[in-house]
């Protein structure tokens, strides 16, 4: 953002010539991409390596509180990097069918594995008794739902009064008003950000 802001501000002599500004800006961004593209890959690999290390620890022992917090932060950071990386390749390939998160990466498998571990139920309190034996839990749960669904069914009756709401005259008039600048802006901002309105390659996300 700082590069774009500085370059755009330095082209004051081209005021009103948006297409010329975009041409010059494209050259600057290409140079930046050549210099910085490896930084993303390097940080991505560092995060993956650390997560892999913590996963190996979790297979042999319970992780410490600080390690769990670090793992949570790493997953969040990796998710941001993954979406950013996929967004770059989607724009480069010009393929609209590729959605963020569709790539079959090992990161998503690890995330599911970690989430499953955190959702594991080790015990349950039924009545005043705490149970942790799986066999006993299965019997208790089966008996609970069997008793619950074996109750006599009740016949319910309900009188429906369907008083539909009607639009007021002022609301009807608002539907026929010309579009405001705010509504137009909201419509443009809701467009697919990866679509480029012209052949120059600058998509709506950039603007």
């Amino acid at each position: 953002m700082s590069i774009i802001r500085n370059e755009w501000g330095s082209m004051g002599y081209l005021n009103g010539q948006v297409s010329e500004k975009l041409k010059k800006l494209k050259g600057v961004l290409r140079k930046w991409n050549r210099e910085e593209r490896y930084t993303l890959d390097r940080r991505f690999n560092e995060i993956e390596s650390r997560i892999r290390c913590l996963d190996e620890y979790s297979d042999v022992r319970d992780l410490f509180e600080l390690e769990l917090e670090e793992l949570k932060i790493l997953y969040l950071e990796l998710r941001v990097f993954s979406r950013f990386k996929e967004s770059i390749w989607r724009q480069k390939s010009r393929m609209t069918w590729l959605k963020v998160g569709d790539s079959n990466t090992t990161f998503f498998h690890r995330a599911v594995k970690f989430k499953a571990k955190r959702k594991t139920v080790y015990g349950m309190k039924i009545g005043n008794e705490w149970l942790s034996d799986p066999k006993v839990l299965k019997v208790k749960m089966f008996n609970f739902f069997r008793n619950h669904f074996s109750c006599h069914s009740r016949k319910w009756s309900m009188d429906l009064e369907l008083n539909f709401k009607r639009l007021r005259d002022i609301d009807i008039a608002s539907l026929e008003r010309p579009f405001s600048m705010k509504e137009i802006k909201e419509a443009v901002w809701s467009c697919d950000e990866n679509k480029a309105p012209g052949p120059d390659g600058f998509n709506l996300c950039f603007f």
Side-chain angles (χ1 to χ4, degrees):
M1 288 296 264
S2 60
I3 292 174
I4 295 172
R5 190 180 294 110
N6 293 336
E7 291 297 326
W8 195 268
S10 66
M11 292 187 285
Y13 62 95
L14 291 173
N15 278 343
Q17 303 179 48
V18 179
S19 60
E20 291 298 320
K21 282 189 172 185
L22 291 175
K23 286 181 183 178
K24 290 185 176 294
L25 187 60
K26 183 180 288 188
V28 175
L29 292 176
R30 281 176 175 169
K31 180 182 177 182
W32 171 83
N33 182 54
R34 286 194 302 268
E35 296 172 352
E36 298 294 329
R37 61 182 176 180
Y38 296 111
T39 304
L40 174 65
D41 292 333
R42 186 169 59 252
R43 179 56 184 157
F44 194 91
N45 293 333
E46 289 175 356
I47 296 174
E48 277 199 322
S49 178
R50 180 56 180 163
I51 290 178
R52 195 180 304 113
C53 181
L54 291 173
D55 275 347
E56 290 174 356
Y57 290 159
S58 68
D59 289 336
V60 295
R61 63 170 175 83
D62 292 335
L63 296 178
F64 301 120
E65 192 68 29
L66 289 176
E67 291 175 329
L68 287 172
E69 188 65 27
E70 180 188 2
L71 192 61
K72 180 180 178 182
I73 294 173
L74 287 172
Y75 271 124
L76 290 174
E77 191 174 354
L78 189 62
R79 187 177 293 111
V80 172
F81 275 113
S82 297
R83 290 180 177 176
F84 183 56
K85 200 171 182 179
E86 290 172 9
S87 177
I88 291 175
W89 282 110
R90 183 172 63 253
Q91 292 178 54
K92 287 184 177 180
S93 64
R94 298 292 192 272
M95 292 182 180
T96 58
W97 53 264
L98 180 62
K99 302 295 183 181
V100 174
D102 276 352
S103 61
N104 189 21
T105 60
T106 55
F107 157 69
F108 293 105
H109 292 289
R110 282 199 301 271
V112 171
K113 177 184 174 184
F114 180 70
K115 193 173 183 180
K117 283 185 177 180
R118 297 188 63 181
K119 287 189 172 182
T120 302
V121 177
Y122 297 100
M124 185 179 295
K125 187 177 182 181
I126 299 179
N128 295 323
E129 186 179 6
W130 177 263
L131 303 172
S132 58
D133 186 353
K135 293 182 180 180
V136 178
L137 273 173
K138 288 179 181 178
V139 174
K140 290 285 187 180
M141 293 293 291
F142 175 79
N143 292 334
F144 172 81
F145 283 105
R146 184 178 60 182
N147 295 334
H148 179 76
F149 290 111
S150 63
C151 296
H152 297 292
S153 59
R154 300 178 182 177
K155 294 183 179 180
W156 298 92
S157 61
M158 182 180 297
D159 295 328
L160 297 177
E161 295 182 6
L162 302 178
N163 297 319
F164 294 105
K165 293 184 178 180
R166 300 178 62 86
L167 288 175
R168 298 173 299 172
D169 291 339
I170 188 173
D171 296 325
I172 296 174
S174 67
L175 292 175
E176 299 177 350
R177 268 203 318 261
F179 294 113
S180 65
M181 186 59 66
K182 180 182 178 183
E183 289 173 317
I184 295 173
K185 182 177 179 180
E186 288 178 351
V188 175
W189 256 247
S190 65
C191 292
D192 185 355
E193 60 183 20
N194 295 302
K195 295 288 188 180
D200 55 15
F202 289 102
N203 56 22
L204 287 169
C205 179
F206 172 84
F207 291 111

